């Protein structure tokens, strides 16, 4: 078996959705113009939707963060934002109509940091999801993101009472020096106190996010962070490789690499991240965790609080908030995307003054080829892999026929598992380790061109 060659850089892009938002464009420039949501959703199945609500506020912005979020919310901005969310939710629910069943199979509050909102504002957020959208938060999985400084007892009490089944907290490192190196101002004592409050709230699933590849991080310090997290017996752990993206804090403060040494520095960093990934993976497997994807590990005896009947490859998503995306079978849409703080503030301000949310503003149409790519990509990047019979039932074709060049290339690198039962197409352990190289190779030429033409702002 041939292992991936050094020429393939293992850390190219974290693929959490396809097509990426940088491939979206203003729909007013499309020949058909900005479509009405009611027309977009009319032919769609709406009995297993996912609801995602985006809160674009944080108390600080970490050095590695390129998410759509701003620091602070002056002059009652959170109130104006929730007012706009209320208007948007009303418009979207009207657009979904009542001709057939409208049911949500899962819900999530993300950001940013949803718990930047006060306890009373979180109550209002839940009311918007329930009373405007019709999501029964107490009967479906509800995941909420938080941070050490905002995971307060009163906020967690609201989430627990309103049906939260999962809380995800970004810790990144339990080593204070490493947190500072990642431009994440926090103390381990505060992190431990927040974890204690989450456990006291008795929310069924605790997820802890950790990052590897921080400057100065070693296998010993990485193991120390892993063991500190494991002391809380989290039901889930996410292990993220560090990236330095344009316009982020780490990008702005990073010292210039001496001319002629960039390739060597990149190779050394890749080697460090791969070494730490493998050490972390092996340690978690030995501690009774199952690998769900390159990043996600679930405790083998933990309750599974994910949606049983929602599939991200096939079912629709309703996104509320100016950083959220929505998915139909033909169009993925959102609002504008930015990383630079001034641009983000402008988009948020524009969202809060919007009165008419009846049309899609920014997005990308997804044709048959792109739908196949998306299904293959999102299935293959999971440890369970792709069921070929399911793919054939949906598209009428075989993935090996549709993507023979890509799959042959992955097999030659040792990224695909050997023959398995039930017609599964799965990644090998080495393939999972190279998910951030494999995923981008499945992007279509058109999406690649659109992403390359995107002006970073």
């Amino acid at each position: 078996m041939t292992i991936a060659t050094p020429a393939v850089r293992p850390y190219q892009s974290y693929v959490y959705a396809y097509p990426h938002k940088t491939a979206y464009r203003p729909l007013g420039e499309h020949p058909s113009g900005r479509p009405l949501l009611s027309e977009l959703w009319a032919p769609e199945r709406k009995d297993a939707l996912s609801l995602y609500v985006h809160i674009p506020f944080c108390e600080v912005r970490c050095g590695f963060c390129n998410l759509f979020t701003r620091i602070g919310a002056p002059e009652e901005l959170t109130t104006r934002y929730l007012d706009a969310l209320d208007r948007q939710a009303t418009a979207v629910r009207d657009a979904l109509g009542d001709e057939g069943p409208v049911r949500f199979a899962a819900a999530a509050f993300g950001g940013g940091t949803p718990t930047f909102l006060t306890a009373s504002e979180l109550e209002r957020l839940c009311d918007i999801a329930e009373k405007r959208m019709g999501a029964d938060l107490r009967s479906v999985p509800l995941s909420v993101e938080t941070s050490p400084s905002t995971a307060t007892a009163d906020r967690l009490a609201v989430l627990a009472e309103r049906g939260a089944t999962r809380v995800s907290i970004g810790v990144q490192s339990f080593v204070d020096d490493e947190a500072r190196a990642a431009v994440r101002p926090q103390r381990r004592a505060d992190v431990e106190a927040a974890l204690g409050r989450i456990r006291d709230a008795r929310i069924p699933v605790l997820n802890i996010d950790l990052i590897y590849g921080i400057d100065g991080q070693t296998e010993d310090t990485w193991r120390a962070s892993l063991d500190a997290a494991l002391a809380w017996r989290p039901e889930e752990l996410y292990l993220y490789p560090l990236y330095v993206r344009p316009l982020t804090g780490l990008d702005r403060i990073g010292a210039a690499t001496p001319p002629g040494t960039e390739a060597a520095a990149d190779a050394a960093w890749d080697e460090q991240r791969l070494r730490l990934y493998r050490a972390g993976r092996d340690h978690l497997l030995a501690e009774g965790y199952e690998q769900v994807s390159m990043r996600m590990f679930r405790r083998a005896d933990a309750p599974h609080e994910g949606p049983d009947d929602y599939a991200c490859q096939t079912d629709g998503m309703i996104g509320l908030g100016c950083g959220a995306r929505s998915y139909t079978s033909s169009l993925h849409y959102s609002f504008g995307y930015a990383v630079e703080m001034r641009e983000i503030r402008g988009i948020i301000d524009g969202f809060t003054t919007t009165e008419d949310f009846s049309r899609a503003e920014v997005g990308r149409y997804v044709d048959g080829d792109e739908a196949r790519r998306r299904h293959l990509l999102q299935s293959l990047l999971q440890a369970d892999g792709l069921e070929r019979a399911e793919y054939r039932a949906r598209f009428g074709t075989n993935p090996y026929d549709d993507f023979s060049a890509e799959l042959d290339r992955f097999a030659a690198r040792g990224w695909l598992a050997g023959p398995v039962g039930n017609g599964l197409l799965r990644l090998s352990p080495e393939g999972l380790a190279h998910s951030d190289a494999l995923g981008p190779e499945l992007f279509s030429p058109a999406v690649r061109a659109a992403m390359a033409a995107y002006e970073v702002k």
Side-chain angles (χ1 to χ4, degrees):
M1 177 178 292
T2 302
I3 301 301
T5 65
V8 180
R9 294 205 61 195
Y11 299 103
Q12 298 178 27
S13 178
Y14 171 26
V15 183
Y16 55 91
Y18 179 78
H20 190 270
K21 265 182 150 182
T22 54
Y24 291 12
R25 294 295 182 268
L27 293 167
E29 300 172 2
H30 193 272
S32 60
R34 296 182 301 126
L36 285 166
L37 300 187
S38 56
E39 295 175 356
L40 274 178
W41 285 99
E44 301 290 320
R45 281 189 56 182
K46 298 181 278 287
D47 59 345
L49 296 170
S50 182
L51 175 65
Y52 176 77
V53 188
H54 184 260
I55 304 299
F57 307 113
C58 289
E59 70 278 14
V60 296
R61 193 171 199 191
C62 303
F64 51 83
C65 179
N66 70 337
L67 299 178
F68 187 91
T69 187
R70 64 162 290 165
I71 300 170
E75 299 178 0
E76 303 298 320
L77 180 56
T78 54
T79 298
R80 298 199 306 274
Y81 188 82
L82 289 170
D83 289 344
L85 271 183
D86 199 308
R87 295 193 299 272
Q88 184 189 17
T90 299
V92 171
R93 182 60 187 87
D94 288 345
L96 293 177
D98 295 309
E99 291 76 16
V102 176
R103 173 181 170 269
F104 290 93
F109 301 156
T113 308
T115 50
F116 179 90
L117 300 178
T118 65
S120 60
E121 288 172 332
L122 285 171
E123 289 276 16
R124 186 181 179 196
L125 180 65
C126 293
D127 284 343
I128 290 170
E130 291 186 334
K131 297 177 181 178
R132 295 289 187 263
M133 292 305 303
D136 187 350
L137 299 182
R138 292 180 178 85
S139 66
V140 302
L142 170 61
S143 177
V144 184
E145 296 174 7
T146 191
S147 67
S149 64
T150 63
T152 59
D154 58 338
R155 292 174 169 107
L156 293 167
V158 168
L159 296 177
E161 195 279 327
R162 298 300 293 260
T165 56
R166 177 180 183 270
V167 168
S168 178
I169 182 168
V171 173
Q172 319 315 350
S173 177
F174 283 85
V175 179
D176 288 350
D177 287 346
E178 290 179 2
R180 284 192 292 272
V183 193
R184 183 178 178 84
Q186 67 184 26
R187 297 183 306 128
R188 176 170 176 174
D190 297 330
V191 171
E192 301 278 3
L195 289 167
R197 292 191 294 270
I198 294 171
R199 281 310 197 197
D200 288 344
R202 305 183 72 81
I203 293 171
V205 172
L206 164 65
N207 173 71
I208 298 176
D209 289 345
L210 297 175
I211 283 181
Y212 55 93
I214 299 170
D215 187 31
Q217 191 175 44
T218 67
E219 287 191 48
D220 287 340
T221 62
W222 177 228
R223 177 72 171 263
S225 275
L226 289 167
D227 285 340
L230 289 170
W232 291 96
R233 297 283 294 157
E235 285 72 23
E236 295 175 5
L237 278 158
Y238 271 72
L239 309 185
Y240 287 94
L242 179 66
Y243 280 97
V244 177
R245 298 303 195 192
L247 303 182
T248 61
L250 286 177
D251 178 53
R252 287 193 298 270
I253 69 174
T257 304
T261 66
E262 294 89 346
D266 288 343
W269 194 26
D270 285 346
E271 192 277 333
Q272 179 208 20
R273 286 181 287 181
L274 265 179
R275 185 177 67 254
L276 294 177
Y277 161 78
R278 290 176 173 135
R281 174 198 62 193
D282 294 348
H283 188 49
L284 293 186
L285 293 177
E287 290 291 328
Y289 284 75
E290 300 171 339
Q291 186 166 18
V292 179
S293 68
M294 172 188 168
R295 287 164 171 75
M296 182 182 176
F297 296 80
R298 180 186 295 122
R299 209 178 73 210
D301 62 345
H304 181 53
E305 292 293 337
D308 292 326
D309 56 354
Y310 174 77
C312 65
Q313 301 95 327
T314 57
D315 295 328
M317 173 179 282
I318 298 292
L320 300 180
C322 56
R325 337 160 175 248
S326 297
Y327 304 144
T328 71
S329 59
S330 63
L331 178 70
H332 294 186
Y333 63 92
S334 183
F335 293 89
Y337 172 72
V339 176
E340 201 275 327
M341 191 61 65
R342 182 179 64 255
E343 296 285 345
I344 290 174
R345 287 171 178 163
I347 294 171
I348 294 173
D349 289 344
F351 177 81
T352 62
T353 58
T354 298
E355 295 293 335
D356 182 3
F357 287 100
S358 64
R359 294 179 181 271
E361 299 291 336
V362 177
R364 186 171 187 87
Y365 284 93
V366 178
D367 61 17
D369 175 70
E370 295 291 16
R372 287 176 170 84
R373 288 181 182 276
R374 179 172 183 258
H375 191 100
L376 175 64
L377 190 156
Q378 292 189 305
S379 300
L380 200 55
L381 293 183
Q382 301 295 308
D384 286 344
L386 170 71
E387 292 187 8
R388 282 183 278 175
E390 179 185 345
Y391 183 98
R392 189 179 298 109
R394 183 178 182 201
F395 299 111
T397 56
N398 187 313
Y400 278 101
D401 294 331
D402 293 342
F403 302 101
S404 59
E406 293 92 337
L407 293 174
D408 286 346
R409 190 162 63 243
F410 300 158
R413 294 172 182 165
W415 290 359
L416 297 183
V420 293
N422 302 319
L424 285 176
L425 176 60
R426 293 192 304 117
L427 295 183
S428 66
E430 195 67 16
L432 279 174
H434 286 78
S435 292
D436 285 6
L438 183 151
E441 289 198 33
L442 288 172
F443 292 3
S444 71
V447 165
R448 289 174 183 273
M451 292 175 66
Y454 173 77
E455 182 180 352
V456 178
K457 56 185 179 180

PDB file of all heavy atoms in Angstrom, residues 332-357:
ATOM      1  N   HIS A 332     -27.852  27.122  -2.291  1.00  0.00           N
ATOM      2  CA  HIS A 332     -27.339  27.419  -0.955  1.00  0.00           C
ATOM      3  C   HIS A 332     -27.244  28.936  -0.856  1.00  0.00           C
ATOM      4  O   HIS A 332     -26.678  29.588  -1.739  1.00  0.00           O
ATOM      5  CB  HIS A 332     -25.963  26.800  -0.751  1.00  0.00           C
ATOM      6  CG  HIS A 332     -25.964  25.308  -0.761  1.00  0.00           C
ATOM      7  ND1 HIS A 332     -24.842  24.559  -0.464  1.00  0.00           N
ATOM      8  CD2 HIS A 332     -26.945  24.408  -1.012  1.00  0.00           C
ATOM      9  CE1 HIS A 332     -25.132  23.276  -0.541  1.00  0.00           C
ATOM     10  NE2 HIS A 332     -26.401  23.162  -0.889  1.00  0.00           N
ATOM     11  N   TYR A 333     -27.772  29.514   0.233  1.00  0.00           N
ATOM     12  CA  TYR A 333     -27.797  30.973   0.286  1.00  0.00           C
ATOM     13  C   TYR A 333     -27.542  31.474   1.702  1.00  0.00           C
ATOM     14  O   TYR A 333     -27.690  30.752   2.687  1.00  0.00           O
ATOM     15  CB  TYR A 333     -29.120  31.520  -0.253  1.00  0.00           C
ATOM     16  CG  TYR A 333     -30.353  31.116   0.523  1.00  0.00           C
ATOM     17  CD1 TYR A 333     -30.854  31.910   1.548  1.00  0.00           C
ATOM     18  CD2 TYR A 333     -31.039  29.946   0.206  1.00  0.00           C
ATOM     19  CE1 TYR A 333     -31.997  31.554   2.245  1.00  0.00           C
ATOM     20  CE2 TYR A 333     -32.181  29.575   0.898  1.00  0.00           C
ATOM     21  CZ  TYR A 333     -32.652  30.382   1.920  1.00  0.00           C
ATOM     22  OH  TYR A 333     -33.781  30.012   2.615  1.00  0.00           O
ATOM     23  N   SER A 334     -27.140  32.744   1.770  1.00  0.00           N
ATOM     24  CA  SER A 334     -26.787  33.358   3.043  1.00  0.00           C
ATOM     25  C   SER A 334     -26.830  34.868   2.862  1.00  0.00           C
ATOM     26  O   SER A 334     -27.559  35.382   2.016  1.00  0.00           O
ATOM     27  CB  SER A 334     -25.389  32.886   3.476  1.00  0.00           C
ATOM     28  OG  SER A 334     -25.051  33.416   4.736  1.00  0.00           O
ATOM     29  N   PHE A 335     -26.014  35.560   3.679  1.00  0.00           N
ATOM     30  CA  PHE A 335     -25.781  36.987   3.506  1.00  0.00           C
ATOM     31  C   PHE A 335     -24.301  37.155   3.166  1.00  0.00           C
ATOM     32  O   PHE A 335     -23.599  36.188   2.915  1.00  0.00           O
ATOM     33  CB  PHE A 335     -26.166  37.752   4.775  1.00  0.00           C
ATOM     34  CG  PHE A 335     -27.635  37.713   5.063  1.00  0.00           C
ATOM     35  CD1 PHE A 335     -28.176  36.689   5.829  1.00  0.00           C
ATOM     36  CD2 PHE A 335     -28.490  38.685   4.548  1.00  0.00           C
ATOM     37  CE1 PHE A 335     -29.537  36.634   6.085  1.00  0.00           C
ATOM     38  CE2 PHE A 335     -29.859  38.634   4.799  1.00  0.00           C
ATOM     39  CZ  PHE A 335     -30.374  37.613   5.561  1.00  0.00           C
ATOM     40  N   GLY A 336     -23.808  38.358   3.153  1.00  0.00           N
ATOM     41  CA  GLY A 336     -22.415  38.587   2.816  1.00  0.00           C
ATOM     42  C   GLY A 336     -21.472  37.939   3.814  1.00  0.00           C
ATOM     43  O   GLY A 336     -21.828  37.692   4.971  1.00  0.00           O
ATOM     44  N   TYR A 337     -20.250  37.671   3.368  1.00  0.00           N
ATOM     45  CA  TYR A 337     -19.244  37.023   4.207  1.00  0.00           C
ATOM     46  C   TYR A 337     -18.011  37.911   4.291  1.00  0.00           C
ATOM     47  O   TYR A 337     -17.607  38.518   3.299  1.00  0.00           O
ATOM     48  CB  TYR A 337     -18.864  35.658   3.626  1.00  0.00           C
ATOM     49  CG  TYR A 337     -17.686  34.999   4.316  1.00  0.00           C
ATOM     50  CD1 TYR A 337     -17.818  34.478   5.601  1.00  0.00           C
ATOM     51  CD2 TYR A 337     -16.451  34.912   3.693  1.00  0.00           C
ATOM     52  CE1 TYR A 337     -16.743  33.874   6.241  1.00  0.00           C
ATOM     53  CE2 TYR A 337     -15.370  34.302   4.328  1.00  0.00           C
ATOM     54  CZ  TYR A 337     -15.522  33.788   5.597  1.00  0.00           C
ATOM     55  OH  TYR A 337     -14.460  33.203   6.230  1.00  0.00           O
ATOM     56  N   ALA A 338     -17.430  38.002   5.483  1.00  0.00           N
ATOM     57  CA  ALA A 338     -16.216  38.784   5.671  1.00  0.00           C
ATOM     58  C   ALA A 338     -15.462  38.242   6.876  1.00  0.00           C
ATOM     59  O   ALA A 338     -16.016  37.501   7.704  1.00  0.00           O
ATOM     60  CB  ALA A 338     -16.546  40.258   5.865  1.00  0.00           C
ATOM     61  N   VAL A 339     -14.192  38.620   6.986  1.00  0.00           N
ATOM     62  CA  VAL A 339     -13.354  38.288   8.135  1.00  0.00           C
ATOM     63  C   VAL A 339     -12.906  39.560   8.853  1.00  0.00           C
ATOM     64  O   VAL A 339     -12.831  39.597  10.075  1.00  0.00           O
ATOM     65  CB  VAL A 339     -12.115  37.469   7.688  1.00  0.00           C
ATOM     66  CG1 VAL A 339     -11.180  37.208   8.869  1.00  0.00           C
ATOM     67  CG2 VAL A 339     -12.546  36.154   7.057  1.00  0.00           C
ATOM     68  N   GLU A 340     -12.612  40.604   8.079  1.00  0.00           N
ATOM     69  CA  GLU A 340     -12.120  41.858   8.650  1.00  0.00           C
ATOM     70  C   GLU A 340     -13.229  42.525   9.464  1.00  0.00           C
ATOM     71  O   GLU A 340     -14.386  42.573   9.056  1.00  0.00           O
ATOM     72  CB  GLU A 340     -11.647  42.778   7.521  1.00  0.00           C
ATOM     73  CG  GLU A 340     -10.694  43.853   7.960  1.00  0.00           C
ATOM     74  CD  GLU A 340     -11.419  45.078   8.491  1.00  0.00           C
ATOM     75  OE1 GLU A 340     -12.506  45.381   7.984  1.00  0.00           O
ATOM     76  OE2 GLU A 340     -10.885  45.712   9.416  1.00  0.00           O
ATOM     77  N   MET A 341     -12.872  43.050  10.647  1.00  0.00           N
ATOM     78  CA  MET A 341     -13.866  43.506  11.607  1.00  0.00           C
ATOM     79  C   MET A 341     -14.754  44.619  11.063  1.00  0.00           C
ATOM     80  O   MET A 341     -15.970  44.633  11.287  1.00  0.00           O
ATOM     81  CB  MET A 341     -13.168  43.957  12.895  1.00  0.00           C
ATOM     82  CG  MET A 341     -14.119  44.211  14.052  1.00  0.00           C
ATOM     83  SD  MET A 341     -15.055  42.731  14.535  1.00  0.00           S
ATOM     84  CE  MET A 341     -13.743  41.666  15.112  1.00  0.00           C
ATOM     85  N   ARG A 342     -14.183  45.571  10.356  1.00  0.00           N
ATOM     86  CA  ARG A 342     -14.988  46.670   9.831  1.00  0.00           C
ATOM     87  C   ARG A 342     -16.064  46.160   8.869  1.00  0.00           C
ATOM     88  O   ARG A 342     -17.215  46.609   8.904  1.00  0.00           O
ATOM     89  CB  ARG A 342     -14.086  47.684   9.126  1.00  0.00           C
ATOM     90  CG  ARG A 342     -14.835  48.907   8.587  1.00  0.00           C
ATOM     91  CD  ARG A 342     -13.894  49.902   7.913  1.00  0.00           C
ATOM     92  NE  ARG A 342     -13.272  49.316   6.717  1.00  0.00           N
ATOM     93  CZ  ARG A 342     -12.023  48.915   6.657  1.00  0.00           C
ATOM     94  NH1 ARG A 342     -11.229  49.013   7.714  1.00  0.00           N
ATOM     95  NH2 ARG A 342     -11.518  48.408   5.539  1.00  0.00           N
ATOM     96  N   GLU A 343     -15.681  45.206   8.021  1.00  0.00           N
ATOM     97  CA  GLU A 343     -16.644  44.640   7.070  1.00  0.00           C
ATOM     98  C   GLU A 343     -17.745  43.876   7.802  1.00  0.00           C
ATOM     99  O   GLU A 343     -18.923  43.964   7.443  1.00  0.00           O
ATOM    100  CB  GLU A 343     -15.912  43.703   6.102  1.00  0.00           C
ATOM    101  CG  GLU A 343     -14.890  44.379   5.212  1.00  0.00           C
ATOM    102  CD  GLU A 343     -15.525  45.180   4.087  1.00  0.00           C
ATOM    103  OE1 GLU A 343     -16.731  44.981   3.826  1.00  0.00           O
ATOM    104  OE2 GLU A 343     -14.823  45.998   3.466  1.00  0.00           O
ATOM    105  N   ILE A 344     -17.361  43.110   8.816  1.00  0.00           N
ATOM    106  CA  ILE A 344     -18.353  42.351   9.584  1.00  0.00           C
ATOM    107  C   ILE A 344     -19.348  43.294  10.247  1.00  0.00           C
ATOM    108  O   ILE A 344     -20.571  43.058  10.225  1.00  0.00           O
ATOM    109  CB  ILE A 344     -17.650  41.472  10.632  1.00  0.00           C
ATOM    110  CG1 ILE A 344     -16.893  40.339   9.940  1.00  0.00           C
ATOM    111  CG2 ILE A 344     -18.647  40.893  11.640  1.00  0.00           C
ATOM    112  CD1 ILE A 344     -16.039  39.492  10.863  1.00  0.00           C
ATOM    113  N   ARG A 345     -18.844  44.354  10.841  1.00  0.00           N
ATOM    114  CA  ARG A 345     -19.745  45.301  11.499  1.00  0.00           C
ATOM    115  C   ARG A 345     -20.751  45.872  10.516  1.00  0.00           C
ATOM    116  O   ARG A 345     -21.933  46.045  10.845  1.00  0.00           O
ATOM    117  CB  ARG A 345     -18.928  46.426  12.137  1.00  0.00           C
ATOM    118  CG  ARG A 345     -18.172  46.001  13.394  1.00  0.00           C
ATOM    119  CD  ARG A 345     -17.216  47.088  13.839  1.00  0.00           C
ATOM    120  NE  ARG A 345     -16.515  46.727  15.061  1.00  0.00           N
ATOM    121  CZ  ARG A 345     -15.405  47.319  15.490  1.00  0.00           C
ATOM    122  NH1 ARG A 345     -14.877  48.317  14.777  1.00  0.00           N
ATOM    123  NH2 ARG A 345     -14.845  46.930  16.602  1.00  0.00           N
ATOM    124  N   GLY A 346     -20.290  46.174   9.310  1.00  0.00           N
ATOM    125  CA  GLY A 346     -21.204  46.714   8.307  1.00  0.00           C
ATOM    126  C   GLY A 346     -22.290  45.730   7.931  1.00  0.00           C
ATOM    127  O   GLY A 346     -23.462  46.116   7.766  1.00  0.00           O
ATOM    128  N   ILE A 347     -21.930  44.459   7.780  1.00  0.00           N
ATOM    129  CA  ILE A 347     -22.929  43.450   7.429  1.00  0.00           C
ATOM    130  C   ILE A 347     -23.934  43.269   8.560  1.00  0.00           C
ATOM    131  O   ILE A 347     -25.151  43.157   8.329  1.00  0.00           O
ATOM    132  CB  ILE A 347     -22.231  42.116   7.090  1.00  0.00           C
ATOM    133  CG1 ILE A 347     -21.403  42.268   5.807  1.00  0.00           C
ATOM    134  CG2 ILE A 347     -23.257  40.993   6.932  1.00  0.00           C
ATOM    135  CD1 ILE A 347     -20.503  41.077   5.511  1.00  0.00           C
ATOM    136  N   ILE A 348     -23.444  43.244   9.810  1.00  0.00           N
ATOM    137  CA  ILE A 348     -24.361  43.112  10.951  1.00  0.00           C
ATOM    138  C   ILE A 348     -25.297  44.307  11.030  1.00  0.00           C
ATOM    139  O   ILE A 348     -26.519  44.155  11.236  1.00  0.00           O
ATOM    140  CB  ILE A 348     -23.565  42.940  12.262  1.00  0.00           C
ATOM    141  CG1 ILE A 348     -22.805  41.614  12.263  1.00  0.00           C
ATOM    142  CG2 ILE A 348     -24.496  43.013  13.471  1.00  0.00           C
ATOM    143  CD1 ILE A 348     -21.855  41.450  13.437  1.00  0.00           C
ATOM    144  N   ASP A 349     -24.758  45.507  10.862  1.00  0.00           N
ATOM    145  CA  ASP A 349     -25.606  46.704  10.911  1.00  0.00           C
ATOM    146  C   ASP A 349     -26.664  46.656   9.814  1.00  0.00           C
ATOM    147  O   ASP A 349     -27.827  47.026  10.038  1.00  0.00           O
ATOM    148  CB  ASP A 349     -24.753  47.959  10.776  1.00  0.00           C
ATOM    149  CG  ASP A 349     -23.896  48.231  12.007  1.00  0.00           C
ATOM    150  OD1 ASP A 349     -24.185  47.638  13.062  1.00  0.00           O
ATOM    151  OD2 ASP A 349     -22.928  49.014  11.900  1.00  0.00           O
ATOM    152  N   GLY A 350     -26.266  46.208   8.619  1.00  0.00           N
ATOM    153  CA  GLY A 350     -27.241  46.095   7.542  1.00  0.00           C
ATOM    154  C   GLY A 350     -28.324  45.081   7.851  1.00  0.00           C
ATOM    155  O   GLY A 350     -29.506  45.303   7.551  1.00  0.00           O
ATOM    156  N   PHE A 351     -27.946  43.977   8.466  1.00  0.00           N
ATOM    157  CA  PHE A 351     -28.925  42.957   8.841  1.00  0.00           C
ATOM    158  C   PHE A 351     -29.932  43.509   9.843  1.00  0.00           C
ATOM    159  O   PHE A 351     -31.137  43.259   9.730  1.00  0.00           O
ATOM    160  CB  PHE A 351     -28.190  41.757   9.436  1.00  0.00           C
ATOM    161  CG  PHE A 351     -29.092  40.652   9.928  1.00  0.00           C
ATOM    162  CD1 PHE A 351     -29.633  39.733   9.055  1.00  0.00           C
ATOM    163  CD2 PHE A 351     -29.391  40.533  11.287  1.00  0.00           C
ATOM    164  CE1 PHE A 351     -30.458  38.718   9.513  1.00  0.00           C
ATOM    165  CE2 PHE A 351     -30.213  39.526  11.753  1.00  0.00           C
ATOM    166  CZ  PHE A 351     -30.750  38.616  10.860  1.00  0.00           C
ATOM    167  N   THR A 352     -29.456  44.255  10.828  1.00  0.00           N
ATOM    168  CA  THR A 352     -30.364  44.730  11.880  1.00  0.00           C
ATOM    169  C   THR A 352     -31.362  45.756  11.358  1.00  0.00           C
ATOM    170  O   THR A 352     -32.396  45.970  12.003  1.00  0.00           O
ATOM    171  CB  THR A 352     -29.581  45.345  13.049  1.00  0.00           C
ATOM    172  OG1 THR A 352     -28.836  46.480  12.592  1.00  0.00           O
ATOM    173  CG2 THR A 352     -28.643  44.320  13.666  1.00  0.00           C
ATOM    174  N   THR A 353     -31.077  46.394  10.232  1.00  0.00           N
ATOM    175  CA  THR A 353     -32.018  47.385   9.685  1.00  0.00           C
ATOM    176  C   THR A 353     -32.883  46.812   8.566  1.00  0.00           C
ATOM    177  O   THR A 353     -33.729  47.519   8.024  1.00  0.00           O
ATOM    178  CB  THR A 353     -31.256  48.615   9.154  1.00  0.00           C
ATOM    179  OG1 THR A 353     -30.327  48.202   8.144  1.00  0.00           O
ATOM    180  CG2 THR A 353     -30.510  49.316  10.282  1.00  0.00           C
ATOM    181  N   THR A 354     -32.692  45.534   8.216  1.00  0.00           N
ATOM    182  CA  THR A 354     -33.468  44.919   7.144  1.00  0.00           C
ATOM    183  C   THR A 354     -34.899  44.652   7.605  1.00  0.00           C
ATOM    184  O   THR A 354     -35.131  44.124   8.687  1.00  0.00           O
ATOM    185  CB  THR A 354     -32.811  43.600   6.689  1.00  0.00           C
ATOM    186  OG1 THR A 354     -31.513  43.887   6.163  1.00  0.00           O
ATOM    187  CG2 THR A 354     -33.641  42.911   5.621  1.00  0.00           C
ATOM    188  N   GLU A 355     -35.835  45.025   6.781  1.00  0.00           N
ATOM    189  CA  GLU A 355     -37.246  44.777   7.072  1.00  0.00           C
ATOM    190  C   GLU A 355     -37.805  43.627   6.241  1.00  0.00           C
ATOM    191  O   GLU A 355     -38.688  42.907   6.687  1.00  0.00           O
ATOM    192  CB  GLU A 355     -38.066  46.043   6.812  1.00  0.00           C
ATOM    193  CG  GLU A 355     -37.725  47.215   7.731  1.00  0.00           C
ATOM    194  CD  GLU A 355     -38.115  46.951   9.176  1.00  0.00           C
ATOM    195  OE1 GLU A 355     -39.039  46.140   9.413  1.00  0.00           O
ATOM    196  OE2 GLU A 355     -37.475  47.534  10.075  1.00  0.00           O
ATOM    197  N   ASP A 356     -37.318  43.474   5.020  1.00  0.00           N
ATOM    198  CA  ASP A 356     -37.848  42.470   4.100  1.00  0.00           C
ATOM    199  C   ASP A 356     -36.868  41.313   3.972  1.00  0.00           C
ATOM    200  O   ASP A 356     -35.794  41.449   3.375  1.00  0.00           O
ATOM    201  CB  ASP A 356     -38.092  43.111   2.731  1.00  0.00           C
ATOM    202  CG  ASP A 356     -38.705  42.129   1.728  1.00  0.00           C
ATOM    203  OD1 ASP A 356     -38.995  40.975   2.117  1.00  0.00           O
ATOM    204  OD2 ASP A 356     -38.876  42.505   0.556  1.00  0.00           O
ATOM    205  N   PHE A 357     -37.221  40.171   4.541  1.00  0.00           N
ATOM    206  CA  PHE A 357     -36.384  38.973   4.476  1.00  0.00           C
ATOM    207  C   PHE A 357     -36.999  37.910   3.560  1.00  0.00           C
ATOM    208  O   PHE A 357     -36.748  36.724   3.737  1.00  0.00           O
ATOM    209  CB  PHE A 357     -36.203  38.385   5.875  1.00  0.00           C
ATOM    210  CG  PHE A 357     -35.296  39.176   6.766  1.00  0.00           C
ATOM    211  CD1 PHE A 357     -35.821  40.038   7.724  1.00  0.00           C
ATOM    212  CD2 PHE A 357     -33.923  39.062   6.657  1.00  0.00           C
ATOM    213  CE1 PHE A 357     -34.994  40.767   8.564  1.00  0.00           C
ATOM    214  CE2 PHE A 357     -33.074  39.788   7.491  1.00  0.00           C
ATOM    215  CZ  PHE A 357     -33.609  40.646   8.443  1.00  0.00           C
TER     216      PHE A 357
END
